[in-house]
Amino acid sequence: MRNIVMLGVQGSGKGTQADRISARYEIPTISTGKLFRAEIERNTGLGREISSIIKKGELVPAARINQMMGERLSEEDTVNGVIVDGYPRTLEQAQALDDIMSGLSRQVTHVLYIKISDEEAVRRLSGRRVCSNNKCEANYHVEFNPPKKDPNRCDRCGSALMQRADDNPEAIGRRLELYHKDTAPLVDFYKKKGTLHEVDGQQPIPDVEAVINGILA
Ligand code: AMP
């Protein structure tokens, strides 16, 4: 069974690769960012609470997110494996994930650390476009990965493409700052556990995918 954590700075390609792993192994991806954006879209209580936090690039409070992950990981569709994208983002969350997993008699088997430079992250986030249909949320880049059919529409579902609210220069800066402060220490945390696999994320998407397939085989 593969219980995979995607680790890497925003824009490293975690979501893109998670989609591909998910299709290959037929296991679901839990993306905390996607779950939050769906809450905002549906204008739920949680959505209203977190909307301005996300727009600024700040982190949603830990208690909220750990509880949500505990519930989501207890759902039936995760029993044969799962990919987690966007979580954990702090050492506290990493510990919480271990606790959730051991409560379910599972463990994190692979941590895929996709490494890119900050300059590359800024380039990718600034040109990123996402499908506005939150059930799809396919990722594109105006220059590096444009849609093949219509430049303004999603290849997969035909919905309009948009820019994420937090892909603006201020929020991108803040997200990178928080990544280095809070998330980067997870590299050592998982290295010590022996589950960390480092992947060069600056290569073209299919090459990154091939490396990951080798790791997961
Ligand atoms: P992402 O799509 O992973 O870039 O997440 C978008 C935003 O959702 C982040 O900038 C945070 O505001 C929030 N978020 C997502 N995952 C987490 C997490 N594990 N802990 C705290 N906030 C999170």
Side-chain angles (χ1 to χ4, degrees):
M1 183 167 46
R2 297 173 185 84
N3 294 314
I4 302 163
V5 165
M6 306 301 293
L7 189 63
V9 74
Q10 292 83 348
S12 57
K14 301 189 298 290
T16 302
Q17 296 298 333
D19 282 351
R20 289 166 189 233
I21 303 167
S22 171
R24 188 178 180 94
Y25 292 104
E26 297 181 344
I27 53 176
T29 301
I30 304 176
S31 155
T32 46
K34 259 187 206 180
L35 291 174
F36 288 147
R37 284 187 290 277
E39 295 281 336
I40 294 171
E41 177 88 5
R42 294 206 313 274
N43 198 24
T44 61
L46 174 62
R48 285 192 295 277
E49 199 181 301
I50 62 180
S51 143
S52 68
I53 298 179
I54 292 194
K55 212 174 195 161
K56 284 187 277 191
E58 300 293 337
L59 292 183
V60 170
R64 271 293 194 189
I65 199 155
N66 292 332
Q67 184 198 350
M68 182 176 87
M69 288 307 286
E71 288 166 6
R72 182 64 188 86
L73 284 166
S74 307
E75 285 175 26
E76 190 61 22
D77 64 334
T78 65
V79 296
N80 294 320
V82 70
I83 307 156
V84 185
D85 172 20
Y87 180 88
R89 257 178 159 89
T90 62
L91 282 171
E92 185 191 352
Q93 292 181 8
Q95 196 52 60
L97 177 59
D98 273 359
D99 295 345
I100 294 167
M101 284 296 205
S102 57
L104 295 165
S105 306
R106 297 181 210 160
Q107 57 186 20
V108 172
T109 55
H110 301 81
V111 177
L112 301 176
Y113 169 39
I114 309 187
K115 213 172 160 182
I116 62 166
S117 68
D118 277 11
E119 295 73 41
E120 180 69 10
V122 171
R123 243 192 322 270
R124 291 185 186 181
L125 295 174
S126 312
R128 173 156 73 178
R129 296 292 180 273
V130 291
C131 174
S132 56
N133 168 5
N134 63 25
K135 291 201 183 62
C136 173
E137 257 207 7
N139 269 297
Y140 299 91
H141 189 281
V142 285
E143 198 185 326
F144 313 131
N145 179 29
K148 293 188 178 62
K149 299 176 194 156
D150 176 332
N152 300 311
R153 301 217 155 255
C154 177
D155 283 339
R156 225 193 275 169
C157 74
S159 304
L161 300 187
M162 58 168 215
Q163 193 161 24
R164 266 172 53 168
D166 55 355
D167 281 345
N168 64 73
E170 297 75 36
I172 289 174
R174 181 63 181 148
R175 286 153 71 207
L176 293 184
E177 192 182 321
L178 285 177
Y179 173 81
H180 288 293
K181 180 165 86 64
D182 294 329
T183 313
L186 299 188
V187 170
D188 270 350
F189 177 86
Y190 286 118
K191 216 180 248 172
K192 286 196 189 110
K193 290 180 181 285
T195 47
L196 191 90
H197 300 268
E198 195 170 309
V199 179
D200 174 7
Q202 308 241 149
Q203 315 171 75
I205 294 171
D207 297 5
V208 176
E209 186 181 3
V211 173
I212 289 178
N213 287 342
I215 292 167
L216 298 176

